[in-house]
Amino acid sequence: MPMLDEKVMSEVKKVLAAMREPVTLRLYTQELECAYCKDTHTLLDELVEANPLLKLEVIKFDEVKEDAAKEGIDKLPAIVVVGERDYGIRFYGIPAGYEFSALLNAILMVSTKIVKLTDETKEFLAKLDKPVHLQVYVTPTCPYCPPSVILAHQLAMASKMVRADMVEASEFPHLVQKYSVQGVPRTVINEKWFVEGAAPEAMVIAKIKEALLDA
Amino acid sequence: MLDFNVLIPETAEPDKLWDLIILGGGPAGLTAGIYAARYKLETLLLEKSIVSGGQLTATQWIENYPGFREPVLGKKLAADMEAQAKHFGLKVISENVQSVNLADEIKEIETDYAKYQAKTVIIATGSSPRRLGLSDEQKYAGNGVSYCSTCDAPFFKDKVVAVVGGGNTAFEEALFITKYASQLYLIHRREEFTADRIFQDKVFAEPNIKIITNSVVTGLNFDLQVGRSLNLQNTISKESSELEVDGIFIFIGNLPNTALFTQQLELDEGYVVTNRKYETNQKGVWAIGDVQKGVLRQVATAVGDGAGAAHQVNKYLVENH
Ligand SMILES: Cc1cc2nc3c(=O)[nH]c(=O)nc-3n(C[C@H](O)[C@H](O)[C@H](O)COP(=O)(O)OP(=O)(O)OC[C@H]3O[C@@H](n4cnc5c(N)ncnc54)[C@H](O)[C@@H]3O)c2cc1C
């Protein structure tokens, strides 16, 4: 039985019909010690069938470890959504449940280059000259999570200084421990600052500003 | 089992004059949308989350919504309502409403990204969880303090948690959380519970749930990740005690999402005052579901309100435009 049943697949096709430029999903996997690598691989295999502009590139993590580390890839499975360039949009763990929508959103965004951010945010990003790393901790069953992920990915798309990760909490217990995640969404900014819940755009930007001032 | 949701935010033309704008995509707003779209009204629904369904998405099972002999998943019911509404032509946009102007003939609704105009407005912004009001409650939200069990219960696998509340929501969510937690304390400030008998029977039969009545939570000792506890006070003896827990879920009722309307609509304790036709004190503005004063706050009633209000709006537009 396929992972994406007929009904879901037809919805996906409809949604991805809006794609303009080609998009590559770069999947980093390994065979051992990765609970969701196989499922994620199957999922993406099926997903790329939905539109010819969508390609999958599978990379064996152990063969490229050092290069991957330079791009900040440090856990598996990892999906990098690449368009004209790598915008810093990453998914760690399987993008299932509500997060599947976040993945489709990232694909559309990279493909159409349309971001929906306020003018204030765009101005702030244009002047941003320090790196910002956003990690959004989620679970697939959390309905409030995709907006936080989508926002983070939009910021990455709009600025070369921003890298934005979706992290599926249940697959990375050590990180859940490290950042004391006991509720989702929880956005971690540059390792040390936190935003709880599905905060609106202005609030996330304010917190990023705070993090940069303090750093 | 893995499932996959396909929800993509859309955009709408800002220059159009809509027949109806619905604020909020919970069960009330979505039902109004289904009816309005079938009346062929040009209808726009604004929902701040990309997932419609409102509080339906914050719970696991709905047992008392007619038509489902087996409990139905809240998020499934929500997704189906949205798909049904879109099927009839409802436009759903995920934008957060920032300000409104309801007084004039043409209503103006402003979001983070655009300004929309409509001949009529239905308010269906629902309600949000009430907080306990403890000084560091906000600080630990998402880190030990939670208001959403489907979101956060999995983080308390084999942990000890407290659930605060005595109504249907507290009881139902406690039953869900015990699937993860090893021990659950249900804390209620009174002796008697308002939860339906059917929930009470189930909770009392659960070996991992211990009931603590006549008690209120007065403090969170959550500085450390381990060895956390709550301060409790007995409401009768006034005695204080400490209870070791890893986290706390709070279900003590709701507050209406009406901050947008304080200057423009008649409110009572924050709830919008409506009559039996869902009319507010502003011409061309209706309110439905949880935001209304003095109603039962359930999915079945929200849905009924949605149908009724859409009917009123249609009649109004036929007579006035
Ligand atoms: C944990 C829990 C369990 C429950 N269990 C049951 C049950 O078993 N049976 C039952 O019948 N009922 C149950 N309820 C109650 C039921 O969910 C509500 O009565 C019902 O959802 C109310 O519907 P509504 O459309 O009025 O509001 P809501 O469901 O609150 O929806 C309001 C919507 O408006 C949106 N919104 C708010 N402000 C804005 C803004 N400024 N801009 C844009 N959008 C906005 C919100 O995001 C939300 O989606 C439960 C509630 C909870 C919290």
Side-chain angles (χ1 to χ4, degrees):
Chain A
M1 234 195 34
M3 237 179 199
L4 300 174
D5 63 28
E6 230 168 273
K7 196 170 144 252
V8 173
M9 201 57 185
S10 87
E11 283 176 63
V12 171
K13 279 183 185 155
K14 233 191 285 167
V15 162
L16 293 186
M19 283 181 75
R20 293 209 199 117
E21 309 278 327
V23 172
T24 303
L25 301 176
R26 213 177 268 160
L27 170 68
Y28 292 81
T29 67
Q30 72 191 14
E31 267 171 32
L32 299 171
E33 286 170 26
C34 174
Y36 279 96
C37 277
K38 204 161 152 255
D39 280 346
T40 307
H41 193 164
T42 312
L43 171 66
L44 298 189
D45 263 340
E46 292 179 19
L47 176 59
V48 294
E49 291 300 314
N51 193 304
L53 288 173
L54 197 55
K55 296 252 159 7
L56 172 64
E57 186 186 328
V58 181
I59 300 172
K60 292 208 173 93
F61 184 64
D62 16 1
E63 289 171 12
V64 295
K65 240 178 197 159
E66 265 117 71
D67 289 342
K70 274 186 224 141
E71 287 163 47
I73 298 188
D74 54 1
K75 49 192 171 286
L76 301 174
I79 304 168
V80 181
V81 182
V82 185
E84 199 171 78
R85 62 180 179 88
D86 173 5
Y87 296 96
I89 298 170
R90 281 131 178 67
F91 289 82
Y92 292 104
I94 189 164
Y98 287 121
E99 289 311 317
F100 187 58
S101 296
L103 176 62
L104 295 177
N105 254 288
I107 293 169
L108 279 182
M109 182 174 65
V110 165
S111 180
T112 59
K113 300 210 178 90
I114 299 173
V115 291
K116 195 167 160 185
L117 295 168
T118 59
D119 293 340
E120 289 84 4
T121 300
K122 284 183 193 153
E123 245 167 69
F124 163 73
L125 291 174
K127 288 194 208 122
L128 183 65
D129 55 3
K130 287 185 203 126
V132 172
H133 181 206
L134 303 172
Q135 303 179 60
V136 186
Y137 284 82
V138 302
T139 57
T141 52
C142 160
Y144 311 114
C145 290
S148 298
V149 174
I150 292 170
L151 173 61
H153 284 157
Q154 296 205 79
L155 298 178
M157 176 90 194
S159 164
K160 284 192 175 169
M161 300 312 290
V162 181
R163 183 154 57 86
D165 309 342
M166 176 217 81
V167 187
E168 204 279 281
S170 66
E171 293 172 51
F172 305 104
H174 60 292
L175 294 175
V176 164
Q177 196 80 33
K178 179 171 169 192
Y179 299 114
S180 355
V181 181
Q182 276 183 330
V184 283
R186 183 165 166 96
T187 304
V188 183
I189 304 169
N190 289 354
E191 309 293 320
K192 271 183 21 214
W193 285 265
F194 300 94
V195 183
E196 302 313 333
E201 188 180 316
M203 215 161 121
V204 174
I205 296 294
K207 200 77 192 179
I208 293 176
K209 286 183 182 161
E210 209 179 294
L212 291 175
L213 272 186
D214 250 35
Chain B
M1 241 290 283
L2 294 167
D3 67 346
F4 300 93
N5 292 67
V6 183
L7 300 155
I8 298 300
E10 289 184 63
T11 49
E13 321 85 273
D15 301 329
K16 178 166 171 167
L17 176 61
W18 298 88
D19 288 329
L20 166 64
I21 292 183
I22 300 169
L23 311 185
L30 287 172
T31 308
I34 292 173
Y35 276 72
R38 286 173 58 91
Y39 287 130
K40 296 282 175 207
L41 303 181
E42 292 280 350
T43 308
L44 174 66
L45 185 149
L46 298 169
E47 164 56 53
K48 68 177 173 193
S49 169
I50 78 155
V51 180
S52 292
Q55 297 165 64
L56 266 183
T57 58
T59 185
Q60 184 82 350
W61 300 107
I62 306 280
E63 290 190 357
N64 55 0
Y65 187 69
F68 298 88
R69 263 176 58 177
E70 299 295 320
V72 55
L73 269 178
K75 67 173 181 185
K76 178 178 184 322
L77 195 54
D80 286 350
M81 281 184 191
E82 183 177 4
Q84 189 179 359
K86 282 182 171 166
H87 169 75
F88 289 122
L90 178 70
K91 185 104 182 153
V92 179
I93 307 286
S94 62
E95 288 179 15
N96 178 36
V97 177
Q98 284 285 14
S99 69
V100 295
N101 180 358
L102 303 174
D104 300 334
E105 178 85 18
I106 301 293
K107 320 291 178 195
E108 285 187 334
I109 311 292
E110 203 170 342
T111 69
D112 294 338
Y113 306 98
K115 198 182 249 173
Y116 302 101
Q117 299 190 318
K119 296 173 195 164
T120 63
V121 170
I122 291 181
I123 293 167
T125 46
S127 56
S128 303
R130 185 189 289 272
R131 325 250 141 180
L132 272 177
L134 300 172
S135 56
D136 38 13
E137 188 170 344
Q138 188 61 32
K139 181 173 157 201
Y140 294 113
N143 181 14
V145 174
S146 176
Y147 308 88
C148 174
S149 56
T150 52
C151 303
D152 301 337
F155 293 104
F156 294 91
K157 200 167 180 314
D158 303 322
K159 299 254 164 77
V160 180
V161 301
V163 167
V164 187
N168 275 340
T169 303
F171 273 64
E172 203 178 357
E173 301 309 306
L175 287 167
F176 175 69
I177 297 164
T178 41
K179 295 202 181 104
Y180 297 90
S182 57
Q183 167 81 58
L184 189 151
Y185 296 101
L186 188 84
I187 302 168
H188 184 44
R189 65 193 153 119
R190 301 214 174 81
E191 181 74 43
E192 301 294 325
F193 301 103
T194 55
D196 294 347
R197 256 344 274 233
I198 183 164
F199 287 134
Q200 295 199 27
D201 291 345
K202 281 190 194 168
V203 164
F204 297 154
E206 229 4 275
N208 294 341
I209 299 183
K210 192 165 177 282
I211 312 275
I212 302 177
T213 51
N214 297 320
S215 296
V216 289
V217 180
T218 52
L220 307 169
N221 308 312
F222 279 16
D223 307 350
L224 305 171
Q225 285 304 317
V226 286
R228 291 179 156 191
S229 68
L230 302 175
N231 294 336
L232 300 183
Q233 188 181 43
N234 188 296
T235 52
I236 295 167
S237 69
K238 304 288 173 210
E239 251 170 62
S240 297
S241 60
E242 212 175 311
L243 182 70
E244 278 182 31
V245 299
D246 296 299
I248 180 171
F249 285 79
I250 299 165
F251 302 108
I252 53 167
N254 287 292
L255 291 173
N257 299 322
T258 52
L260 289 169
F261 317 117
T262 45
Q263 304 302 321
Q264 302 182 42
L265 291 182
E266 188 192 338
L267 305 180
D268 185 350
E269 292 180 330
Y271 291 96
V272 182
V273 177
T274 53
N275 62 18
R276 292 205 60 187
K277 292 180 182 169
Y278 312 101
E279 290 164 336
T280 66
N281 61 319
Q282 289 280 8
K283 196 165 173 242
V285 181
W286 289 257
I288 56 177
D290 271 19
V291 280
Q292 296 170 91
K293 173 77 188 169
V295 294
L296 177 67
R297 298 194 177 86
Q298 289 280 285
V299 182
T301 46
V303 160
D305 290 356
H311 170 74
Q312 296 297 335
V313 168
N314 189 46
K315 218 167 109 192
Y316 171 90
L317 286 171
V318 169
E319 287 163 8
N320 289 273
H321 287 270

